[in-house]
Amino acid sequence: EIILAGSEPQNISIDPASENYRLGLITIGFITLLFASNSPALHSAFELSSNTPPVLLINAIVSFVGLIGVVAGSPLLGKIVPDPSAQSTNPDTRNNATKESAPLSSSNNALMRIVGPSAVAGTELGLWKFLGTTANIYGLSQTSSDHGAFLIQLTTLIVPVAQGLMGVPIPSRIWSAIGLALGGVFMFTQDPSQRDCATLTGDGLCALAAIFYATYDLRLFKWGKIVPTNELITTKMMTQSLLSLGLLFVLGLDETRTFLSDASMRDLQLVGAVSLWSGFAVNALAPYLQVSGQQAVGPARAQILYASQPLWAAVMSYIFLAEQVGFEGFVGGIAFLCAMFLAATAENPDPDCGKRDCEV
């Protein structure tokens, strides 16, 4: 209650939905910075080392460090980060969400009943994240960190289009922001200062990673409503780690032995530092925060905020890797800033949109 001089007492209430939305925006903004650092960090392992490390080795270490980070940090993060699956007090609502998010075939439904939704959800998300991370690291070993960061943002288009095809109403201003974001990607890829350090194969792998990451984001939005965050992310990281370690043992042991025998101490320190950062900050902390942040903001709107990642990645690449940005890159950056403005000033997502699936 606030009393002003010469006026009657007034009760001022805060809309919990608006507060939750603002907190979600802050969370997604912080996650964006963490994700933006991933491309320069991973690319530095290939650019600055005297002996190029195996992609599968870095992939496995990153995933394993992420698993350790989730297991060690989940007790603390569980007290700080809201759990979207616990916010529904109506058991019928959660049961209906489980039915809608679960696979449709009878065999998958039987699996859900046997092992539980957390195991099925975490395994599915871990598979998509494993595919995306593997393709992304392979791509960054063959292209510039700026190109990789921009091409990953094809998720900006994939996620809203997929939602729109499923009947989810997306505000027109968000579509305008998507167009500007994609225009920024196109302009940046035309930058002649990037052509000497980028390849078509590397760009294609980063674009493929964007498809896997977009699928992960969409499925995370579904599963995050019904599965506790701690169980979801822990199972996801376990699946991602097991798949990455398995791929290393099957295809990368000989290459790893050669690298470890020839690498200098500086190379090992660089690979270790990059793997620790990407594993803990990008693959453990960021996904944990992403569950609650994306539930509050909505996946389509979150993708527009994520679209600023290439700008921050370009700044980091310029500072740490001396990658240059020309006029085309500058124009692309302006387009992204405009897209961010449109997203930030768009109307709040409506949870009562009249559709079975709303944006939030």
Side-chain angles (χ1 to χ4, degrees):
E1 182 176 284
I2 299 177
I3 302 177
L4 301 177
S7 64
E8 295 294 328
Q10 300 180 15
N11 290 325
I12 298 180
S13 60
I14 298 176
D15 183 5
S18 298
E19 283 295 301
N20 190 41
Y21 179 69
R22 282 193 289 269
L23 181 61
L25 285 176
I26 295 173
T27 302
I28 294 298
F30 177 66
I31 293 171
T32 298
L33 293 178
L34 294 181
F35 284 152
S37 68
N38 198 41
S39 290
L42 291 173
H43 185 69
S44 68
F46 304 105
E47 181 72 17
L48 304 180
S49 58
S50 56
N51 289 281
T52 303
V55 170
L56 296 181
L57 174 63
I58 293 182
N59 189 35
I61 297 176
V62 165
S63 299
F64 186 70
V65 170
L67 175 61
I68 295 176
V70 167
V71 173
S74 58
L76 175 61
L77 290 172
K79 298 178 181 178
I80 301 174
V81 181
D83 188 344
S85 69
Q87 293 178 0
S88 175
T89 58
N90 187 343
D92 294 333
T93 301
R94 293 190 61 183
N95 289 335
N96 290 335
T98 303
K99 292 177 182 178
E100 291 179 4
S101 299
L104 297 178
S105 67
S106 58
S107 59
N108 282 330
N109 282 329
L111 183 62
M112 287 270 292
R113 289 192 294 268
I114 295 172
V115 301
S118 61
V120 175
T123 300
E124 180 191 347
L125 293 179
L127 174 62
W128 292 120
K129 201 60 181 285
F130 158 74
L131 293 172
T133 302
T134 304
N136 189 26
I137 297 177
Y138 265 116
L140 287 170
S141 69
Q142 302 179 50
T143 193
S144 69
S145 64
D146 287 343
H147 264 218
F150 266 79
L151 289 168
I152 285 295
Q153 286 316 121
L154 287 174
T155 53
T156 302
L157 172 66
I158 297 169
V159 169
V161 167
Q163 280 200 302
L165 292 175
M166 293 185 294
V168 179
I170 305 299
S172 58
R173 182 170 290 193
I174 296 296
W175 287 115
S176 300
I178 290 171
L180 283 173
L182 290 175
V185 170
F186 175 78
M187 289 298 297
F188 203 88
T189 56
Q190 303 306 305
D191 193 339
S193 62
Q194 295 281 319
R195 290 175 183 170
D196 293 337
C197 54
T199 66
L200 183 60
T201 301
D203 288 352
L205 287 169
C206 288
L208 178 62
I211 297 175
F212 293 137
Y213 285 149
T215 306
Y216 171 85
D217 287 341
L218 288 167
R219 298 305 295 160
L220 176 67
F221 182 63
K222 289 292 186 181
W223 286 118
K225 296 177 181 179
I226 58 175
V227 179
T229 301
N230 184 34
E231 297 178 17
L232 183 64
I233 298 302
T234 301
T235 309
K236 188 270 292 185
M237 283 307 309
M238 288 180 62
T239 302
Q240 183 180 344
S241 299
L242 288 174
L243 291 173
S244 300
L245 290 170
L247 189 61
L248 173 65
F249 279 105
V250 172
L251 300 177
L253 275 185
D254 292 339
E255 191 179 7
T256 298
R257 292 193 187 101
T258 302
F259 169 74
L260 293 177
S261 62
D262 298 339
S264 64
M265 181 57 66
R266 180 180 177 277
D267 292 337
L268 296 176
Q269 291 174 343
L270 177 61
V271 170
V274 167
S275 299
L276 285 173
W277 175 257
S278 182
F280 178 74
V282 181
N283 282 275
L285 178 60
Y288 208 104
L289 298 174
Q290 188 180 13
V291 176
S292 61
Q294 192 163 297
Q295 292 298 324
V297 175
R301 198 176 304 262
Q303 288 301 325
I304 304 301
L305 298 177
Y306 292 152
S308 65
Q309 291 177 43
L311 294 181
W312 306 116
V315 172
M316 297 176 194
S317 298
Y318 176 78
I319 295 174
F320 298 109
L321 301 176
E323 291 188 2
Q324 302 296 318
V325 176
F327 175 76
E328 292 83 353
F330 176 78
V331 173
I334 295 298
F336 266 102
L337 290 176
C338 293
M340 290 174 60
F341 174 78
L342 287 175
T345 56
E347 64 275 15
N348 286 2
D350 181 12
D352 299 317
C353 62
K355 300 283 187 179
R356 189 186 72 174
D357 292 319
C358 299
E359 191 189 355
V360 294

